[in-house]
């Protein structure tokens, strides 16, 4: 099985690029953000707890998303691998993922990191806010907090994955097709 992490700040294009990767490599797309939004839409207790945090631009507790990922690994069948989008997002989550994979006798294939500057995060999210109506896209203060949370809690993962030789960064600026082509060239080498 292949295990890819699609990494990057909010609005970097993780969701946009996931479709082609899933199709080309027969993967299951696991976006913790999307899984949490489904819980919110279904009005589950977990969704109610997550809603308060997501709408402030904060992370949900590590054990919540770790549990979600493990459940999906246990239940999804008939794929050649998993594409993790928006997970892990803290060093504790990355360490948990190492443990979850080791317990299954699996290893991480690699991290595909889409990098864009903070100004571009604001531009892309402002654009999406007009189309999708995501609550955490609704105002610049929440987006600022998501960016701050990314720099404080998620950026340290770059060093974590560099240290184990799994970190691969590509330029996330440019057209959707240009970024897709860069990802395809990189994935061929992993
Ligand atoms: P999540 O849903 O993961 O949001 P995010 O990481 O902030 O990322 P986005 O989904 O906003 O951006 P994206 O990179 O997918 O970009 P997209 O392709 O849509 O998480 C939401 C929240 O859930 C978190 O804040 C947190 O509270 C919680 N959460 C989730 N995972 C968690 C975890 N592991 N631990 C704890 N909490 C967690 O693109 C953005 C826009 O740009 C779109 O409009 C798109 O059309 C456009 N676009 C994309 N590519 C291009 C391009 N090349 N050129 C021009 N426009 C482009
Ligand atoms: Mg997304």
């Amino acid at each position: 099985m292949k295990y890819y992490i699609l990494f990057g700040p909010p609005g970097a294009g993780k969701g946009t690029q996931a479709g082609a990767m899933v199709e080309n490599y027969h993967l299951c797309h696991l976006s913790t953000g999307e899984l949490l939004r489904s819980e919110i839409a279904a009005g589950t207790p977990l969704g109610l707890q997550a809603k308060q945090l997501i709408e402030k631009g904060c992370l949900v507790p590590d054990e919540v998303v770790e549990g979600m990922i493990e459940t999906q690994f246990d239940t999804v069948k008939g794929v050649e691998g998993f594409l993790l989008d928006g997970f892990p997002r803290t060093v504790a989550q990355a360490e948990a993922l190492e443990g979850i994979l080791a317990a299954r006798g699996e290893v991480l294939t690699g991290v595909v990191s889409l990098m864009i500057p903070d100004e571009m995060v604001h531009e892309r999210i402002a654009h999406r806010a007009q189309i999708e109506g995501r609550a955490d896209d609704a105002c610049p203060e929440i987006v600022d907090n998501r960016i701050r949370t990314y720099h404080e809690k998620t950026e340290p993962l770059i060093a974590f994955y560099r240290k184990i030789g799994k970190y691969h960064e590509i330029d996330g600026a440019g057209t959707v097709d240009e970024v897709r082509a860069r990802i395809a060239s990189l994935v061929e080498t992993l």
Side-chain angles (χ1 to χ4, degrees), residues 4-9 11-31 34 83-85 112-116 124 128 132 170-187:
Y4 299 100
I5 294 171
L6 197 48
F7 181 87
K14 301 182 293 292
T16 303
Q17 297 296 339
M21 284 186 76
V22 161
E23 204 167 304
N24 293 344
Y25 308 106
H26 316 289
L27 307 173
C28 170
H29 178 210
L30 290 185
S31 158
E34 281 175 20
L83 179 60
L84 305 178
D85 160 356
V112 176
S113 172
L114 303 181
M115 216 32 79
I116 61 169
R124 287 194 183 172
R128 188 178 60 192
E132 287 188 22
I170 63 165
D171 183 4
T175 66
V176 171
D177 286 347
E178 283 166 349
V179 177
R180 186 186 302 128
R182 286 178 205 138
I183 293 174
S185 316
L186 166 64
V187 171

Side-chain angles (χ1 to χ4, degrees), residues 29-42:
H29 178 210
L30 290 185
S31 158
T32 39
E34 281 175 20
L35 291 170
L36 290 165
R37 285 188 287 279
S38 305
E39 296 281 343
I40 293 172

Side-chain angles (χ1 to χ4, degrees), residues 72-120:
Q72 296 292 316
F73 284 173
D74 282 340
T75 51
V76 175
K77 306 284 175 218
V79 293
E80 290 174 28
F82 289 89
L83 179 60
L84 305 178
D85 160 356
F87 178 90
R89 242 173 160 102
T90 62
V91 171
Q93 290 176 24
E95 286 166 347
L97 177 62
E98 290 292 301
I100 292 168
L101 291 177
R104 288 160 192 272
E106 301 278 8
V107 286
L108 182 68
T109 310
V111 178
V112 176
S113 172
L114 303 181
M115 216 32 79
I116 61 169
D118 290 353
E119 315 81 75
M120 199 177 285

